[in-house]
């Protein structure tokens, strides 16, 4: 009797499950709306590319080997803004859950006139067409509203997509400053020994407070404007013989900034170039004031020695 009861109970449960499944199927078939699709294409991205045929844009970012930082590879080589990369990857993660099938988009979307955003992994590629009201994945006919985090791609700018801070250095690690003024044939080497700054080949003691204030200003510098179209115009911008070549030394590791002439006589900007990158950009030039004579700029005041 117990065995027969268990058999009858199992049959009843199977019948209920079948009826429930049939109702759900009929309900879905009767709905006149797109079918939600959930797919899994969240690869470990190693490259991202943005193409805009109308604007003649092809931008490409690559992930640095064995790390999470990204660098723009085309058309210039420069560290990418990590916030923008996070936005792009976040949009990729959101897409499967928000995608729906829309057959009609295929006829409306013209890949030759739209921006194309592609994500590459070692195993494959996922590409989207950026259309007016959303994004279109042509291969599987999937459409999704335009992700809020991809709004930066609608009108991208160099200053948004590239990192604007020159250096990510700890001021305590800097133990040397090299200032070269080739046009004036002058060179100054500042060295830090046991926490005190001195000017090489002199007995002058420099003010640690003044040197650290200058370093803090330099490390806080941010690019005011990228000028990638000027990379072939270095002679006219004064980079054959830069006005100033500033090198920060961290042990044996040099960080070099070349500074060219100003746009025009009353300009508040200077052309600059960070070695080894060939990208030209503009910087505020206030920090150069008085730098041509570091002995006067950094010299320890007499009152500092008075206790």
């Amino acid at each position: 009797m117990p065995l027969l009861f268990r058999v009858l109970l199992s049959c009843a449960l199977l019948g209920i499950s079948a009826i429930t499944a049939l109702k759900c199927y009929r309900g879905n078939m009767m709905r006149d709306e797109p079918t939600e699709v959930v797919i899994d294409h969240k690869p470990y991205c190693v490259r991202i590319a943005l193409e805009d045929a109308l604007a003649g844009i092809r931008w490409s970012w690559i992930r640095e080997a064995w790390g999470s930082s990204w660098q723009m590879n085309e058309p210039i080589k420069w560290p990418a803004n990590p916030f923008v990369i996070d936005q792009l990857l976040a949009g990729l993660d959101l897409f499967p859950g928000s995608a729906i099938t829309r057959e009609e988009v295929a006829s409306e979307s013209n890949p030759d006139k739209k921006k194309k955003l592609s994500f590459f992994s070692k195993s494959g590629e996922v590409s989207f067409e950026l259309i007016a009201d959303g994004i279109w994945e042509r291969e599987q006919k999937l459409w999704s509203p335009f992700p809020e985090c991809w709004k930066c791609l609608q009108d991208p700018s160099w200053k948004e997509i590239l990192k604007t801070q020159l250096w990510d250095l700890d001021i305590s690690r800097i133990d040397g400053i090299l200032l070269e003024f080739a046009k004036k044939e002058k060179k100054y080497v500042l060295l830090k020994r046991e926490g005190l700054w001195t000017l090489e080949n002199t007995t002058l003691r420099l003010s640690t407070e003044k040197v650290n204030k200058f370093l803090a200003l330099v490390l806080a510098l941010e690019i005011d404007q990228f000028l990638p179209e000027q990379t072939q115009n270095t002679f006219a911008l004064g980079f054959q013989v830069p006005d100033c070549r500033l090198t920060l030394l961290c042990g044996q590791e040099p960080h070099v900034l070349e500074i060219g002439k100003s746009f025009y006589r009353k300009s508040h900007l200077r052309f600059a170039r960070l070695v080894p990158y060939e990208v030209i950009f503009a910087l505020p030039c206030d920090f150069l004031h008085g730098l041509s004579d570091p002995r006067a700029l950094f010299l320890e005041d007499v009152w500092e020695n008075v206790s």
Side-chain angles (χ1 to χ4, degrees), residues 284-295:
C285 63
D286 291 345
F287 78 100
L288 283 176
H289 181 69
L291 193 59
S292 59
D293 187 4
R295 287 173 297 188

Side-chain angles (χ1 to χ4, degrees), residues 27-281:
N28 286 333
M29 292 294 289
M30 292 176 67
R31 291 192 198 126
D32 186 19
E33 62 183 33
T35 305
E36 292 188 359
V37 179
V38 178
I39 58 177
D40 182 17
H41 61 208
K42 301 177 185 176
Y44 179 78
C45 293
V46 296
R47 186 164 73 92
I48 303 173
L50 175 66
E51 298 176 73
D52 187 339
L54 287 180
I57 290 175
R58 178 176 174 79
W59 290 346
S60 175
W61 298 266
I62 57 174
R63 186 192 294 267
E64 293 185 0
W66 311 107
S68 58
S69 57
W70 288 74
Q71 175 173 290
M72 173 166 271
N73 190 49
E74 292 181 278
I76 60 176
K77 297 184 185 298
W78 191 267
N81 182 344
F83 178 67
V84 171
I85 297 297
D86 288 344
Q87 286 182 306
L88 298 182
L89 295 177
L92 176 63
D93 288 344
L94 289 172
F95 175 75
S98 61
I100 58 175
T101 56
R102 274 181 57 177
E103 298 285 344
E104 68 273 16
V105 180
S107 60
E108 298 172 2
S109 179
N110 183 349
D112 296 329
K113 295 185 179 181
K114 306 297 178 184
K115 293 177 184 176
K116 181 181 178 183
L117 180 63
S118 303
F119 298 84
F120 299 87
S121 68
K122 292 182 179 179
S123 58
E125 171 191 353
V126 179
S127 294
F128 305 94
E129 293 168 26
L130 309 184
I131 54 182
D133 61 340
I135 58 175
W136 170 243
E137 206 274 348
R138 178 175 291 273
E139 184 176 342
Q140 300 189 51
K141 297 183 174 62
L142 299 177
W143 176 90
S144 176
F146 210 101
E148 187 66 29
C149 52
W150 282 6
K151 296 290 185 180
C152 62
L153 298 180
Q154 293 180 325
D155 186 22
S157 69
W158 292 107
K159 198 167 182 180
E160 272 190 328
I161 64 176
L162 298 179
K163 190 174 180 180
T164 57
Q165 186 175 355
L166 287 182
W167 290 298
D168 185 15
L169 299 174
D170 186 342
I171 193 171
S172 64
R173 290 185 56 233
I174 300 173
D175 52 20
I177 304 172
L178 176 61
L179 293 167
E180 299 171 271
F181 303 91
K183 293 178 182 179
K184 299 179 181 180
E185 298 183 348
K186 290 185 177 181
K187 178 178 177 179
Y188 303 92
V189 181
L190 286 70
L191 299 173
K192 184 171 67 173
R193 295 189 178 96
E194 298 180 355
L196 298 176
W197 285 93
T198 60
L199 190 63
E200 191 179 53
N201 298 325
T202 72
T203 57
L204 297 176
R205 288 187 58 181
L206 304 180
S207 168
T208 301
E209 181 181 352
K210 291 180 180 179
V211 176
N212 285 341
K213 183 178 180 180
F214 168 74
L215 287 175
L217 184 63
V218 169
L219 295 181
L221 280 176
E222 291 197 4
I223 293 168
D224 186 84
Q225 182 183 3
F226 282 96
L227 303 166
E229 69 280 359
Q230 298 288 348
T231 53
Q232 303 301 319
N233 197 27
T234 56
F235 183 81
L237 300 179
F239 285 113
Q240 296 301 320
V241 183
D243 288 354
C244 175
R245 183 180 173 96
L246 167 66
T247 303
L248 303 181
L249 299 172
C250 300
Q252 299 299 316
E253 186 180 6
H255 302 271
V256 183
L257 178 68
E258 293 181 344
I259 304 161
K261 64 183 179 182
S262 53
F263 288 101
Y264 46 89
R265 186 169 297 176
K266 296 182 180 180
S267 174
H268 294 293
L269 299 174
R270 302 281 284 190
F271 290 122
R273 179 173 60 190
L274 195 64
V275 179
Y277 301 103
E278 294 300 318
V279 180
I280 307 297
F281 48 85

